[in-house]
Amino acid sequence: MDNKIQSLFIKMCDKSEDEAYAYADQLAEIGTEEILDKLIEILNGEDIDNSYLAARALSKMEHNQKAIEPLLELIHHHKNKHRNGQYVQALEGFDLSERFVDLLRIYLFSNFKSSTLAKYYLDYVEFDLSPRTLKKAEKHWGHYENNVDKESDDYLIKKEEVLTMFEEIKALFE
């Protein structure tokens, strides 16, 4: 790794740096495979602030699909349930067309910010859907339904929206 790139990583991860996000953006702009791999390493690291910055940079990179799986793993991990909003926001920089089930899981099981962002993606991304995708989605819906207070407003809203989505998807297959 050349000195300039190494310097950008050091500045991005420096806790006293007020403009750390600008260095993350510069790394994204350079966007080499080497930078991608290092950002994935930082994404999975112990430091949550650096992890968020890595997610931001990965989101802005042009050829970033290699990073979507590690990012989704972080989002779905139970320890991040109440603090994964910035990770979910980073998904906007990725091709989500094959991630309907992941986004539905985020919508159903995450905090308010993450759930709201996931609903936006569910509404506006054009997905590659199949009957198998629908079956997986219905399985997660069943899990959600079995583990939630059915009297809550949140459940009633999600039930209406999810069942409408499922009906629309089924209509596509007919």
Side-chain angles (χ1 to χ4, degrees):
M1 189 176 307
D2 77 20
N3 287 341
K4 178 185 178 192
I5 293 172
Q6 207 166 13
S7 173
L8 289 172
F9 274 112
I10 290 168
K11 289 177 181 178
M12 181 187 91
C13 295
D14 183 351
K15 297 292 183 211
S16 64
E17 184 60 60
D18 291 336
E19 304 277 330
Y21 66 90
Y23 299 113
D25 293 349
Q26 287 178 38
L27 287 164
E29 202 171 296
I30 297 167
T32 65
E33 185 77 18
E34 184 179 36
I35 290 173
L36 178 76
D37 291 340
K38 181 68 174 170
L39 287 169
I40 291 172
E41 183 183 317
I42 293 169
L43 179 75
N44 289 314
E46 294 298 316
D47 188 304
I48 192 78
D49 294 328
N50 291 343
S51 183
Y52 288 150
L53 286 166
R56 175 191 171 103
L58 289 165
S59 175
K60 293 177 179 249
M61 287 182 72
E62 198 168 320
H63 302 286
N64 61 2
Q65 280 308 112
K66 179 179 177 181
I68 195 165
E69 203 58 48
L71 182 57
L72 285 168
E73 285 176 22
L74 275 175
I75 291 168
H76 292 311
H77 196 285
H78 69 278
K79 75 175 183 180
N80 295 320
K81 181 179 180 180
H82 299 290
R83 62 179 187 185
N84 63 5
Q86 287 182 322
Y87 294 134
V88 176
Q89 188 171 356
L91 289 174
E92 72 185 354
F94 291 87
D95 174 8
L96 300 173
S97 61
E98 295 181 12
R99 300 299 178 163
F100 177 80
V101 174
D102 286 304
L103 291 170
L104 181 67
R105 286 178 60 199
I106 295 166
Y107 174 62
L108 294 175
F109 300 109
S110 290
N111 62 38
F112 180 76
K113 178 181 180 180
S114 299
S115 183
T116 302
L117 287 166
K119 179 64 170 106
Y120 174 82
Y121 299 142
L122 287 167
D123 287 343
Y124 292 102
V125 170
E126 190 170 320
F127 294 100
D128 297 329
L129 298 170
S130 68
R132 185 170 184 233
T133 304
L134 179 61
K135 187 173 181 148
K136 286 180 179 181
E138 289 174 329
K139 181 186 112 189
H140 288 292
W141 170 249
H143 179 69
Y144 173 78
E145 230 180 359
N146 290 329
N147 292 293
V148 71
D149 173 15
K150 291 190 172 83
E151 302 298 319
S152 74
D153 290 339
D154 188 47
Y155 168 75
L156 297 173
I157 291 168
K158 286 181 178 179
K159 178 180 179 182
E160 183 178 331
E161 291 177 351
V162 169
L163 295 181
T164 300
M165 269 190 264
F166 289 169
E167 287 174 22
E168 290 173 359
I169 293 169
K170 286 175 185 174
L172 291 173
F173 298 138
E174 292 175 358

